[in-house]
Amino acid sequence: MIELQDITKVYRTGSQSLEALRGISVKIGKGEFISIMGPSGSGKSTLMNIIGCLDTPTAGEYVLDSDKVAGLTFDQLAAVRNRKIGFVFQNFNLLPYATAWENIELPMLFDGKNGRRRRERVTELLNAVGLYEWRGHRPSELSGGQQQRIALARALANDPPILLADEPTGNLDSKSGEEIMAILTDLWREGRTIVMVTHNDHIAAHSERTIRLFDGQVVA
Amino acid sequence: MIGIFFRNLFRDLVRQPLRTALTLSGVVWGTFSVVLLLSFGDSVSKAQMKRFHGMGQGIVLVFPSRTTLAWQGFLKGKAVRVTPETVEAIPEKVPGIELISPEFVGSRLISYGRKEFRNTVRGVNPEFELMRNTIAGKGRFIDAEDMTARKRDCFIGDVLATDLFGTEAPVGRNVLIDGVPFLVVGVMRTKLQNSNYNGQRDERCAFIPWTTYSSLYGAKYVSNIIFRPRDLGRSKAVMAGVKGHLAKLIGFSAADPDALGVWDTLDFERQFTTFFLAFTVFLGIIGSFTLLVGGVGVASIMRVVVEERTREIGVKLAVGARRRTILWQFFSESLVIMILGGLVGFGLSAGALQGAKAFPAGGFTDFVGVPVLNPLVIVSTVLILLAIGVVAGMIPARTAASTDPIEALRK
């Protein structure tokens, strides 16, 4: 359950200030598949960062699974991101010098899971995304679609209830994009909450509901 | 995690070999300087201390002089006269004395065959040997029987022995001292001596029993007293006891500052020790500055590395790394570079010291000793290395840990 109440985010640079979000209230229920749409500069990314606990709102309240997020320290937020939220980025954001296996393992290392559990989970995830044979390869040796599947596997490493996808198909050809959307849809059917930012109406059509932003406010 | 860590480090080190070499060379050179300077300081201190101990170890020298205060009807300027019997009896009255000897000093003709030298002759007792490090290399020192029987036995310095006897063995032969035959019972072991009093250094002296000296030359009063306190730290108190005792016995004011001239070598030794400690620390500080420059190099290179890996830091933070984890990652990378450089530096300096040892420096060695890689040098260097490493590692690591994940991911 994600509940945003009257969220405002103001960026200050010197004497200038920019209101990225102006009093946004959004409720996302458990197991929903939401897409967020809007033109550049409408505040989509800022909203995603706040939902993903990467950023904190200037004002307003954010309740995640009945916990207030506002008062948490950076390291407490890190723990929330680690266990409750999985990130999928447009440009994959895999560690370039680590293998596919090591990239997937990363969130579990920060959670302090032991070696055996990590091995089992990485194997399971690699099989699920069909890239077990590619486990020893670096991201540069993988295609875009393969990289995004590895990134998805990493997002799922600690089995988080929420997946945040920022333009997950933005850098992919349409076939790979469809594959990724198929996996996301499967994950939603399994009961995960999915929040996705996209420009693409066709991609947004996979979701149950679309939140449209304009100028830092919800328009629909 | 360990795997990734070392791969990351290795990658950073190998990808830019020139940069790595330059960074490491700063630390290597710094460590090299610290080790060499510290071990040099240490060996100089030890060599000088050894030379200083050539005159004696833990001793106080007392020179009877003239009074400078009127006392009980005596005018000032009265000569303070001490007999050897008085000296020998001091330990019965003054506690805390381990060894004591009276000493007569005179310049006399010493001859063997056609060779003749005017050298210093000292009349002493057997306890003199340990106090003044006049250890027998051949034969023996004056002994108790020589004392009681007033034997004409003498113990001679190593240089005097060579001057008189050349390649002949001196022990068991007779020499003439002012025309009187003496049997050579021992020759002093060669020693380094950088301080002295009354006459020549021990290497050129002849030592005879003071009983023989006083009866042969009619000397009644000693030129000086030499003693070693049982507790070296209490030399001042024991000296005060000796002075009080003699003042009462001979008749001068115990408050008279100049009635007895005192050379407390322990006092001198303390100053000496402090001076050489300061000297070594000073050298260490100079070395540390060099190492500090190496540390600055590591810190600035690590800053560049942090800059290059901002995106990686952003990803790690996004998937749940704590700031502490990031801090440790970069901190330990800097430390590994410092340790690597330190090890190479230690290796090089050990090699250099080994090389220096093989070089015959001749008399120079007497002054500076032989610098070695002893535990003190190693521990101090490691501590300096760690201190600089921690500071040099912390600065870039803190920068890395304070990365804003949103900014980092946008790059």
Side-chain angles (χ1 to χ4, degrees), chain B residues 34 66 144 146 251 307 322 367:
Chain B
V34 173
R66 280 174 189 279
D146 293 331
E307 187 65 32
R322 286 149 191 253
F367 286 94

Side-chain angles (χ1 to χ4, degrees), chain B residues 102-265:
Chain B
E103 185 171 354
F104 289 109
V105 180
S107 176
R108 315 215 168 253
L109 273 177
I110 305 173
S111 59
Y112 175 73
R114 294 173 156 218
K115 290 175 186 149
E116 190 174 58
F117 301 94
R118 180 161 283 278
N119 278 18
T120 304
V121 173
R122 297 176 189 272
V124 299
N125 76 15
E127 297 185 1
F128 187 88
E129 181 182 16
L130 283 178
M131 286 191 285
R132 293 271 275 92
N133 269 337
T134 51
I135 310 296
K138 293 185 201 103
R140 60 165 177 84
F141 196 70
I142 308 296
D143 66 11
E145 206 190 316
D146 293 331
M147 298 301 297
T148 46
R150 301 182 181 186
K151 282 195 183 170
R152 291 198 299 269
D153 281 353
C154 74
F155 177 84
I156 58 178
D158 52 319
V159 172
L160 176 60
T162 318
D163 286 349
L164 287 173
F165 297 98
T167 51
E168 284 180 74
V171 177
R173 294 182 195 277
N174 281 301
V175 294
L176 299 175
I177 299 179
D178 276 357
V180 179
F182 273 79
L183 175 70
V184 176
V185 294
V187 179
M188 190 184 78
R189 191 170 71 193
T190 307
K191 69 173 180 180
L192 294 167
Q193 180 183 352
N194 65 356
S195 318
N196 196 25
Y197 59 90
N198 288 3
Q200 288 161 305
R201 294 190 179 185
D202 298 344
E203 59 193 13
R204 292 182 190 276
C205 292
F207 304 85
I208 64 174
W210 68 257
T211 47
T212 315
Y213 191 105
S214 71
S215 61
L216 210 55
Y217 308 125
K220 265 191 189 155
Y221 305 112
V222 302
S223 8
N224 59 280
I225 306 165
I226 168 170
F227 73 87
R228 179 195 281 175
R230 191 162 281 122
D231 176 355
L232 296 185
R234 292 191 65 250
S235 63
K236 287 263 179 301
V238 175
M239 185 55 226
V242 170
K243 190 174 186 180
H245 170 67
L246 290 180
K248 216 184 302 165
L249 203 70
I250 299 165
F252 61 89
S253 164
D256 193 328
D258 294 321
L260 297 175
V262 178
W263 184 5
D264 186 345
T265 68

Side-chain angles (χ1 to χ4, degrees), chain B residues 308-328:
Chain B
E308 285 174 355
R309 283 160 61 181
T310 307
R311 195 182 186 81
E312 171 194 327
I313 299 168
V315 172
K316 286 183 170 172
L317 288 172
V319 303
R322 286 149 191 253
R323 295 222 186 272
R324 220 180 312 146
T325 314
I326 303 293
L327 185 85
W328 268 105

Side-chain angles (χ1 to χ4, degrees), chain A residues 197-213:
Chain A
V197 167
T198 183
H199 274 109
N200 187 329
D201 284 317
H202 184 61
I203 294 294
H206 286 87
S207 65
E208 296 176 285
R209 181 154 71 95
T210 301
I211 297 171
R212 288 183 190 276
L213 292 185

Side-chain angles (χ1 to χ4, degrees), chain B residues 31-42:
Chain B
T31 310
F32 186 74
S33 320
V34 173
V35 170
L36 284 199
L37 287 171
L38 279 181
S39 56
F40 178 77
D42 186 57

Side-chain angles (χ1 to χ4, degrees), chain A residues 74 81-82 91 93 102, chain B residues 7 15 311 317 319 323:
Chain A
F74 187 91
R81 289 197 294 274
N82 186 248
N91 52 10
N93 275 331
E102 287 162 349
Chain B
R7 194 136 11 107
R15 207 171 33 165
R311 195 182 186 81
L317 288 172
V319 303
R323 295 222 186 272

Side-chain angles (χ1 to χ4, degrees), chain A residues 2 15 31-32 42 68 106 108 117 120 129 131 179:
Chain A
I2 296 168
S15 58
E32 270 199 280
S42 60
K68 280 189 192 174
L106 202 60
M108 289 189 274
R117 280 181 66 192
E120 283 170 6
V129 297
L131 290 173
E179 280 173 15

